[in-house]
Amino acid sequence: MAFYPILWTLNDAKTKLRPVHVLDVAQVLSNLVSGVKGASESVTYNLPGPTVHSYASLLNLIQSVTYNSIGFAPTIPKSVMLTASKVAQAAWWPLLSPDEVERRYIDDVGTDAKGEQWQGDWDKFGVTPEEVENLAITYLRRYRSAVNFSRPVVLPSTRGTPAYHELD
């Protein structure tokens, strides 16, 4: 996302998802293998992230942590991206596939028949998933310039309140 933001602006970056940290999922797998009471290896478990994000909010998070302007590019129409991704399949190295383009238009938040979000099966394994915002600096610091490398992290406000207070 930090290098090629144009690939994430499909659907005007409105696609919703619930990202989860890989180490939280690894802890669940470890608990599953070590024999958590009531857990079965033949069942599919739902492990969504704790917060719903859109690609736009994740791009804003990247921009605020790295202090680099992402410069939102215009949204490429779906038909153009599908055609380009089909042409890109001729290359021997992996590129954006048509399936990935289709999935960028599908919300992945997980709701039941009543429209309520799934809470997931985290409680069965005794794991609490970590918020993406708390882990962002760990992975995004390498994308900062030397001038901004040691600057403090100011995360974008997600609850409608300002992230900082300006003095008058």
Side-chain angles (χ1 to χ4, degrees):
M1 288 183 90
F3 280 131
Y4 301 109
I6 194 168
L7 297 177
W8 302 96
T9 59
L10 298 178
N11 195 23
D12 290 325
K14 294 178 185 173
T15 305
K16 295 183 178 111
L17 65 154
R18 293 175 67 181
V20 64
H21 192 246
V22 67
L23 292 181
D24 294 332
V25 176
Q27 184 61 51
V28 167
L29 290 173
S30 173
N31 293 353
L32 181 64
V33 171
S34 63
V36 171
K37 192 175 192 177
S40 172
E41 293 178 10
S42 61
V43 177
T44 302
Y45 293 101
N46 182 19
L47 303 172
T51 309
V52 176
H53 290 279
S54 66
Y55 284 125
S57 69
L58 290 175
L59 288 169
N60 284 334
L61 175 67
I62 290 170
Q63 185 172 345
S64 67
V65 170
T66 60
Y67 292 103
N68 294 331
S69 175
I70 289 181
F72 287 92
T75 302
I76 300 173
K78 183 178 180 181
S79 58
V80 173
M81 271 311 280
L82 278 172
T83 304
S85 65
K86 288 176 185 173
V87 169
Q89 296 306 299
W92 62 268
W93 61 90
L95 294 170
L96 188 68
S97 72
D99 181 58
E100 289 177 276
V101 173
E102 289 289 344
R103 290 179 183 276
R104 302 272 167 89
Y105 286 85
I106 301 171
D107 285 342
D108 189 20
V109 293
T111 56
D112 60 12
K114 297 177 187 176
E116 296 178 11
Q117 291 180 5
W118 293 328
Q119 297 305 313
D121 297 320
W122 296 102
D123 294 339
K124 292 180 182 177
F125 299 98
V127 177
T128 303
E130 189 73 33
E131 297 280 345
V132 172
E133 293 87 349
N134 298 339
L135 301 165
I137 190 63
T138 305
Y139 298 100
L140 295 173
R141 186 178 297 271
R142 70 188 77 200
Y143 297 103
R144 288 180 167 194
S145 66
V147 174
N148 296 322
F149 193 79
S150 61
R151 286 180 68 179
V153 178
V154 178
L155 297 176
S157 176
T158 58
R159 293 179 176 54
T161 58
Y164 56 89
H165 176 73
E166 291 184 13
L167 299 174
D168 296 328

